[in-house]
Amino acid sequence: DAGITQSPRHKVTETGTPVTLRCHQTENHRYMYWYRQDPGHGLRLIHYSYGVKDTDKGEVSDGYSVSRSKTEDFLLTLESATSSQTSVYFCAISGLSGTTTIAFFGQGTRLTVV
Amino acid sequence: AQSVTQLDSHVSVSEGTPVLLRCNYSSSYSPSLFWYVQHPNKGLQLLLKYTSAATLVKGINGFEAEFKKSETSFHLTKPSAHMSDAAEYFCVVSDPSGTYKYIFGTGTRLKVLA
């Protein structure tokens, strides 16, 4: 398995509080991603990073911010959590498999906003 | 813009019978296509990938997919379903912009009946 660790794995938080999810990789890959998974939507990209301090928005970035101060860590922050952000969050990295770049996913973080 | 459409949200098959999960794609470029599987409460695992080397792609656990440009399809098949195949399956296209972002289909939940 690719070396990706997400923390925490489960979290319950109250509406209006800030929340930070962490993704840590040991593969030294340049690209890292945060997705959310919701029934009927598959996975949707929130933000991604193409290097230290280099990040960009995905399709569902409103209410989220990210930071990448080190190659191995990519943080996702919900600035003021809302019930609509209850979801399962997946971190991914892109790396070479043979001659193709593929994505490797973490185990996910289940976030519940009450 | 790239997109994928999974034509069935749920598929039920009997153990030992063939599996067909359908996926159509839209892409302005020669696409990179993938199938991922997600078992309950687990992360995502790569089943197979298409990158233009061969139109029939073999993956893990007996799955294969055929890329048909004329039909813009990339259906996933398996000759004989096993109980352990019960999971959610995602068809994915890679953004060709060089950022390796993935665009997911909405998923097909496969149920295998004893």
Side-chain angles (χ1 to χ4, degrees), chain B residues 12-100:
Chain B
S12 292
V13 301
S14 297
E15 190 175 22
T17 65
V19 175
L20 170 64
L21 305 183
R22 298 182 295 165
C23 173
N24 287 349
Y25 71 90
S26 173
S27 176
S28 308
Y29 304 87
S30 181
S32 291
L33 293 160
F34 309 83
W35 278 97
Y36 279 81
V37 61
Q38 184 182 32
H39 288 93
N41 299 312
K42 300 291 186 184
L44 288 92
Q45 180 184 19
L46 179 68
L47 272 180
L48 50 80
K49 60 186 179 186
Y50 166 77
T51 56
S52 78
T55 56
L56 183 62
V57 182
K58 294 189 182 300
I60 62 171
N61 300 333
F63 284 94
E64 62 182 37
E66 186 171 8
F67 174 76
K68 292 187 177 180
K69 186 175 181 179
S70 60
E71 299 176 10
T72 61
S73 69
F74 190 57
H75 301 335
L76 182 70
T77 60
K78 183 174 181 178
S80 176
H82 191 273
M83 296 297 290
S84 61
D85 294 328
E88 188 156 24
Y89 293 79
F90 293 98
C91 183
V92 180
V93 65
S94 178
D95 187 298
S97 65
T99 59
Y100 307 111

Side-chain angles (χ1 to χ4, degrees), chain A residues 9 31 33 35 37 40-43 45 48 57 90 94 97-98 100-107 110, chain B residues 32 34 36 38 41-46 49 51 88 90 94 98-107:
Chain A
R9 293 291 313 281
Y31 287 91
Y33 312 83
Y35 291 87
Q37 182 179 21
H41 291 276
L43 277 75
L45 183 65
Y48 67 101
K57 296 179 179 179
F90 285 96
S94 279
S97 174
T100 307
T101 299
I102 68 171
F104 300 93
F105 289 84
Q107 291 300 299
R110 184 173 296 275
Chain B
S32 291
F34 309 83
Y36 279 81
Q38 184 182 32
N41 299 312
K42 300 291 186 184
L44 288 92
Q45 180 184 19
L46 179 68
K49 60 186 179 186
T51 56
E88 188 156 24
F90 293 98
S94 178
T99 59
Y100 307 111
K101 295 183 290 186
Y102 275 17
I103 296 113
F104 280 76
T106 51

